Amino acid sequence: MRKSVYIAALFGLAYLLVQTPELFEQAPDSAPQASSTEQVSEAYAQQQSKVQVRGQGVVIKLLPDDTKGSRHQKFILRLSDGHTLLVAHNIDLAPRINDLRVKDYVGFMGEYEWNPQGGVLHWTHHDPAGRHPGGWLSHNGKTYQ
């Protein structure tokens, strides 16, 4: 009887992890902020750039790395309100997310730059010079900064 309870608990935890991975995402501590949907949607509507945003989204498309100049891993996230966001993650300054797949959840902190297609998220890494707020990406419980 005890063994079946443990097995049922393990399956329950596994189900939660697969269905709601955002509950298990770990990211660096920082002050509470508005949701990603509110921040990004507001910055997009007002055509703002250089806005520090934090949130999460689901990967809907993986793009080839940009290898001109500083190398960037690129992919598109869909936020909870349907807004899409291009992520340009500098892999010269932060580790690449090698196991990233479509439908994965990714947490983020970085700088939003407006464009007509929905905007770009960059500065998802530390600033070696210490002049810019550090950003990060989180995926499957690991933080990339």
Side-chain angles (χ1 to χ4, degrees), residues 109-124:
M109 169 74 96
E111 186 176 274
Y112 175 82
E113 292 287 333
W114 182 87
N115 71 29
Q117 291 77 35
V120 178
L121 179 73
H122 65 117
W123 281 98
T124 57

Side-chain angles (χ1 to χ4, degrees), residues 69-80:
S70 297
R71 297 175 310 133
H72 288 79
Q73 180 178 15
K74 295 170 77 175
F75 55 93
I76 300 174
L77 294 177
R78 182 174 310 283
L79 308 182
S80 62

Side-chain angles (χ1 to χ4, degrees), residues 25-82:
E25 290 284 341
Q26 297 296 315
D29 292 330
S30 67
Q33 298 184 12
S35 75
S36 61
T37 299
E38 293 169 1
Q39 289 180 312
V40 174
S41 294
E42 184 176 311
Y44 177 75
Q46 296 178 9
Q47 298 185 6
Q48 293 179 318
S49 291
K50 299 191 184 314
V51 177
Q52 198 71 15
V53 295
R54 178 180 180 165
Q56 73 169 18
V58 176
V59 177
I60 61 168
K61 186 166 187 168
L62 299 171
L63 301 168
D65 289 353
D66 179 358
T67 57
K68 295 182 179 118
S70 297
R71 297 175 310 133
H72 288 79
Q73 180 178 15
K74 295 170 77 175
F75 55 93
I76 300 174
L77 294 177
R78 182 174 310 283
L79 308 182
S80 62
D81 69 348

